[in-house]
Amino acid sequence: MKYILFILFSLLLFTSCLPPHYLHAPLIISDIESKGDYTISGGVDVSTESRNFNVNSNYAITDHVIVQASATYAKNHSDLKDYNSNGKSIDVAVGYTNISSDKHFYIENFMGYGHGNFNNIHFEDKTRYANFSYDKFFAQLNLNYRIHNYDEDINTFSFHIPIRLAYANYNKIAFTSLGNFSLGSQIEHLRENPRRLMLSAGKTISYRFDNVKLNLFASYTTPTKATELLTFGYLYVGFGVSWRNFLNKKNK
């Protein structure tokens, strides 16, 4: 119980000083150990101006090869810029890990593809909008460290630093106006230059109870010239839960 209280207190302390932010995509840690392992996890953003949810899954084809899928839904609003936004994205990836039950430090790396769209509509005038659709390819490296290995203690803290480089192509951009001239000029710039490199980096702190893990995470994505004022980029902070091999445990 004291560990749960520590995590919750850290969450409140960590998020109380953050500005409003928008979701691009979560940076996922697989928690895979050996062939046949699988995880299902979910997370939620804790911003007062965002309602962002994600569901993730991982499966180990071999002791070291992982397939991964993630779905995200975002619903945001901004009183400052007078618009609502909503959207969804899907990522799929294949990766490699050198994890084993006796290692404290291990790595995961993934290559993947993602597709998403976001729709921004003015609060009062529904004819004002700015909508985006994109495809992306990405590479992600996760640096992971757990205080105890699983042979010593199944209840343990772990720390993760994910780093992702994504190449995005904004292939559908449609807008009228959101009541701000500078936004229109920046979106025009994105339409003329739709291919962007974006770097994301984050930190995840986890505590594992047997096959259930609690996660506290934060990540930062470099914004593009237009989307920094709309939907993508900046900080994503939240918490989540991961279940590992839960069906296997039930069948025992």
Side-chain angles (χ1 to χ4, degrees):
M1 178 60 69
K2 64 180 180 180
Y3 295 115
I4 298 177
L5 293 176
F6 171 77
I7 291 174
L8 293 176
F9 175 76
S10 300
L11 175 65
L12 292 174
L13 180 64
F14 189 48
T15 59
S16 61
C17 59
L18 292 174
H21 52 277
Y22 300 97
L23 167 66
H24 183 62
L27 304 179
I28 304 167
I29 310 299
S30 79
D31 197 31
I32 291 297
E33 291 180 31
S34 59
K35 180 180 178 179
D37 281 355
Y38 56 88
T39 61
I40 300 292
S41 62
V44 58
D45 180 12
V46 296
S47 168
T48 57
E49 292 193 354
S50 302
R51 294 295 181 267
N52 303 314
F53 306 92
N54 65 80
V55 178
N56 320 297
S57 62
N58 296 272
Y59 179 77
I61 300 175
T62 72
D63 286 343
H64 300 289
V65 178
I66 305 165
V67 291
Q68 182 181 95
S70 174
T72 302
Y73 173 76
K75 185 175 182 180
N76 309 319
H77 70 275
S78 175
D79 294 329
L80 179 63
K81 303 181 183 69
D82 298 325
Y83 67 83
N84 288 310
S85 69
N86 65 81
K88 56 189 178 224
S89 65
I90 297 176
D91 291 355
V92 292
V94 60
Y96 173 85
T97 178
N98 68 344
I99 193 173
S100 64
S101 61
D102 60 348
K103 280 188 176 180
H104 293 279
F105 176 79
Y106 63 96
I107 65 170
E108 298 175 342
N109 50 74
F110 292 90
M111 298 287 291
Y113 163 81
H115 174 78
N117 61 76
F118 279 82
N119 306 305
N120 305 269
I121 302 175
H122 194 273
F123 278 159
E124 298 177 355
D125 186 354
K126 303 303 181 183
T127 64
R128 298 181 183 181
Y129 63 86
N131 302 331
F132 300 86
S133 180
Y134 69 90
D135 293 288
K136 69 177 179 183
F137 296 92
F138 63 89
Q140 182 171 324
L141 173 66
N142 298 336
L143 305 175
N144 312 280
Y145 181 82
R146 52 193 177 195
I147 295 178
H148 300 96
N149 63 51
Y150 294 148
D151 289 337
E152 297 172 353
D153 189 357
I154 60 174
N155 296 343
T156 183
F157 274 109
S158 57
F159 304 89
H160 314 271
I161 299 177
I163 302 169
R164 174 183 288 190
L165 181 64
Y167 173 79
N169 178 25
Y170 294 89
N171 45 31
K172 291 183 180 179
I173 302 173
F175 77 99
T176 53
S177 170
L178 290 177
N180 186 315
F181 175 77
S182 64
L183 287 179
S185 63
Q186 291 183 29
I187 297 172
E188 281 286 7
H189 179 82
L190 184 64
R191 177 181 282 175
E192 295 171 1
N193 303 272
R195 297 177 178 85
R196 301 298 176 111
L197 282 175
M198 288 180 283
L199 179 67
S200 302
K203 178 184 290 186
T204 298
I205 302 173
S206 302
Y207 187 79
R208 176 174 165 178
F209 300 90
D210 196 1
N211 285 324
V212 177
K213 178 179 282 189
L214 303 180
N215 305 303
L216 169 65
F217 48 81
S219 63
Y220 176 87
T221 298
T222 55
T224 66
K225 198 170 184 63
T227 55
E228 65 181 352
L229 297 177
L230 292 172
T231 53
F232 303 141
Y234 284 34
L235 290 166
Y236 174 46
V237 181
F239 61 93
V241 181
S242 175
W243 292 269
R244 179 176 170 273
N245 297 338
F246 58 93
L247 290 178
N248 295 8
K249 186 175 181 180
K250 183 178 180 179
N251 291 333
K252 288 182 178 180

